[in-house]
Amino acid sequence: MTPLDDPLFDAPTPLMVLVRPQMGENIGASARAMLNFGCARMRLVAPRDGWPNPKATALASGASGVLDRAGVFDSVAGAVADCDYVFATTARGRGLTKPVLTPAHAMEQARALNEAGKRVAVLFGPERAGLENDDVARANAIITVPVNPAFYSLNLAQCVLLVAYEFARQGHAAPPEVMAMAGTDFATAQEREKLGDHFEARLGEAGFFHPPEKAARMRLNLRNMWTRLALTRADVQTLHGMLRQLARRG
Amino acid sequence: MTPLDDPLFDAPTPLMVLVRPQMGENIGASARAMLNFGCARMRLVAPRDGWPNPKATALASGASGVLDRAGVFDSVAGAVADCDYVFATTARGRGLTKPVLTPAHAMEQARALNEAGKRVAVLFGPERAGLENDDVARANAIITVPVNPAFYSLNLAQCVLLVAYEFARQGHAAPPEVMAMAGTDFATAQEREKLGDHFEARLGEAGFFHPPEKAARMRLNLRNMWTRLALTRADVQTLHGMLRQLARRG
């Protein structure tokens, strides 16, 4: 499959717009971060070292298709001209009256907008200084990652990673916690019952239920344990096998 | 403020446990990733290049306090001995029956457990190969980041970043529903480890691990079973008692 017919590039995902990025390596790392979460549409505004950039390509490695398809623009205004809704990522307050959203909230909105056929862009500023007020002013809303106020060291690709991650996460509204357990072959009640019988018999022979006035409670607790533990069929076999082996030895 | 009286280090956050990390740079980058989201408690298991590692310190820069306070251990078992609940991050299915959670769900649980006074750890594998089955078997549950199945390139520090981000994010959300789990007196990892040792020793004497070529896998499955079952402290006592009684008889 060539990049040109990869369906990823047509999927309605946010356009990740890197504004005046400085280091080619960070552009490549951003492409990788995006593609981890199924976001393949990148735009670049006035990359410092020109375009294409061999350092970006080298670092993107398996994600170089994202770079091959990236649009390059002179200005933020040009890069977002065909977009319906624009977010700007920034750490600092700007004295600009704009909604400030978490990545989670913003990407929830982005997904809803995408589903309604709207095109969404997210602006990321240059490594050193971040977006300028002029850039932020072109956005409908601000995304601020809620970091530790005493320590902020997110780099460009990490910021892209968190936004792409959140976009993907919003798409898993249906339970993504497909527990490996869901496919698990749990023991039936009858199997647990037989396991309980087996243990009770062998432990009884071994003098485990002692003293006699506590024996009934001990049996009850043991029965309760086997049902509470969510044993698989394989566990039950293992426990039977253990017990047989330990008893045989006697 | 010196690292020693930084309140961050006392905050109940998950212990981030880097298992056999290879590159010092990645240890430093992980410390930064953690501190961005207020997680300051790191443990290291057998770092390849020894400890302390100047490359880790150089890259951690403002987050070097995390490294100064990191505990160093020989084994995963030692690193999680005092933990109540252990997550293992892994991308691949393991053929081990364990709950598999998203970072979001796992950190929601971690926060509830922390609030109930429980100590939570998250294991991260070495850069190249990830965690081994023996490591995963010591965890209660698996965290898998839901990445693009066609492109996975998360590095160690990015994986740590996403988990720490999710932990912080859960703190900003509406309070997670109180888990029934939180009030239960679960066995610690160390108590489970000792239970596993006890069974392994007695079953070994009884000739349970047979045939020899299957013994390693049988031991692994057994270790995995004890961690998966969410045993309470009382369960562990019962199981020790059973085993002692059965063995005494022999």
Side-chain angles (χ1 to χ4, degrees):
Chain A
M1 188 163 59
T2 74
L4 283 168
D5 56 24
D6 187 331
L8 262 179
F9 292 93
D10 298 323
T13 58
L15 288 158
M16 303 296 186
V17 184
L18 309 192
V19 179
R20 299 182 298 279
Q22 302 176 304
M23 309 272 288
E25 292 86 341
N26 292 332
I27 302 172
S30 296
R32 291 171 74 89
M34 287 167 58
L35 200 52
N36 272 298
F37 296 107
C39 292
R41 307 168 77 205
M42 177 185 272
R43 288 182 175 180
L44 298 166
V45 176
R48 185 190 67 185
D49 299 335
W51 197 255
N53 180 328
K55 287 182 181 164
T57 309
L59 210 128
S61 125
S64 62
V66 171
L67 301 183
D68 297 341
R69 299 284 297 253
V72 183
F73 298 82
D74 292 334
S75 67
V76 170
V80 301
D82 60 350
C83 296
D84 298 289
Y85 202 89
V86 179
F87 293 100
T89 55
T90 171
R92 302 185 302 275
R94 293 307 193 132
L96 295 172
T97 304
K98 283 245 195 252
V100 178
L101 306 178
T102 60
H105 249 121
M107 290 303 101
E108 190 183 342
Q109 292 192 1
R111 195 163 274 277
L113 289 162
N114 277 171
E115 278 164 13
K118 308 294 184 188
R119 188 172 290 183
V120 174
V122 184
L123 307 179
F124 297 88
E127 292 89 331
R128 191 178 286 250
L131 292 170
E132 294 178 2
N133 279 355
D134 266 356
D135 308 318
V136 177
R138 289 191 162 73
N140 300 78
I142 287 172
I143 298 176
T144 295
V145 180
V147 290
N148 177 358
F151 185 81
Y152 180 93
S153 80
L154 291 180
N155 64 34
L156 175 56
Q158 284 175 322
C159 195
V160 171
L161 179 80
L162 289 174
V163 171
Y165 164 79
E166 277 293 357
F167 183 77
R169 200 174 66 79
Q170 300 301 326
H172 301 137
E177 352 291 346
V178 189
M179 299 210 344
M181 282 179 88
T184 301
D185 193 17
F186 285 109
T188 64
Q190 189 179 38
E191 287 163 341
R192 289 196 305 263
E193 190 69 24
K194 283 187 178 165
L195 180 71
D197 291 346
H198 190 185
F199 266 85
E200 211 169 289
R202 292 295 158 274
L203 288 168
E205 291 163 14
F208 179 72
F209 299 109
H210 186 84
E213 64 273 22
K214 290 197 177 167
R217 184 73 205 184
M218 288 170 81
R219 284 195 178 86
L220 180 67
N221 286 345
L222 207 55
R223 289 281 166 180
N224 187 52
M225 187 175 86
W226 300 128
T227 51
R228 178 167 45 75
L229 293 180
L231 297 167
T232 64
R233 192 162 278 174
D235 291 338
V236 167
Q237 290 314 315
T238 301
L239 288 162
H240 275 300
M242 274 192 206
L243 187 57
R244 260 193 306 273
Q245 197 68 28
L246 287 165
R248 188 171 299 154
R249 185 172 162 261
Chain B
M1 188 163 60
T2 75
L4 282 167
D5 55 24
D6 187 331
L8 263 178
F9 291 93
D10 298 321
T13 58
L15 287 158
M16 304 296 187
V17 183
L18 308 191
V19 179
R20 299 181 299 277
Q22 302 176 306
M23 309 272 288
E25 292 85 341
N26 293 332
I27 302 171
S30 296
R32 293 171 72 88
M34 287 168 59
L35 201 52
N36 271 298
F37 296 106
C39 292
R41 305 168 78 206
M42 177 185 273
R43 289 182 176 179
L44 299 166
V45 176
R48 185 191 65 185
D49 299 336
W51 197 255
N53 181 328
K55 287 182 181 163
T57 310
L59 210 130
S61 127
S64 61
V66 171
L67 302 182
D68 296 341
R69 299 284 298 252
V72 183
F73 298 82
D74 292 334
S75 67
V76 169
V80 301
D82 59 350
C83 296
D84 299 289
Y85 203 87
V86 179
F87 293 100
T89 56
T90 172
R92 302 185 302 275
R94 295 309 195 127
L96 294 173
T97 302
K98 288 251 192 242
V100 178
L101 305 179
T102 59
H105 221 128
M107 290 303 101
E108 188 183 345
Q109 291 192 1
R111 195 163 273 277
L113 289 163
N114 276 171
E115 279 163 13
K118 308 294 184 189
R119 188 171 289 182
V120 174
V122 184
L123 307 179
F124 298 88
E127 292 90 331
R128 190 177 287 251
L131 292 171
E132 292 178 3
N133 278 354
D134 266 354
D135 307 319
V136 177
R138 286 186 163 78
N140 299 77
I142 287 171
I143 298 176
T144 295
V145 180
V147 290
N148 177 359
F151 185 81
Y152 180 94
S153 80
L154 291 180
N155 63 34
L156 175 56
Q158 285 175 322
C159 194
V160 171
L161 180 80
L162 290 174
V163 171
Y165 164 79
E166 277 293 357
F167 183 77
R169 199 175 67 78
Q170 299 303 325
H172 309 132
E177 65 246 58
V178 184
M179 293 178 37
M181 273 174 80
T184 303
D185 192 18
F186 285 108
T188 64
Q190 189 175 38
E191 287 165 340
R192 290 195 305 262
E193 191 72 21
K194 284 190 178 163
L195 180 71
D197 291 345
H198 189 186
F199 265 85
E200 212 170 287
R202 292 294 158 275
L203 289 168
E205 291 162 16
F208 179 72
F209 299 109
H210 186 83
E213 65 272 20
K214 290 197 175 166
R217 184 72 202 186
M218 289 171 81
R219 285 197 176 85
L220 179 68
N221 286 343
L222 207 55
R223 288 278 166 182
N224 186 51
M225 188 176 84
W226 300 128
T227 52
R228 177 169 44 77
L229 293 180
L231 297 168
T232 64
R233 194 161 276 176
D235 293 338
V236 168
Q237 289 316 314
T238 301
L239 289 163
H240 275 299
M242 274 191 203
L243 187 56
R244 260 194 305 272
Q245 197 66 29
L246 288 164
R248 188 170 298 156
R249 185 172 162 262

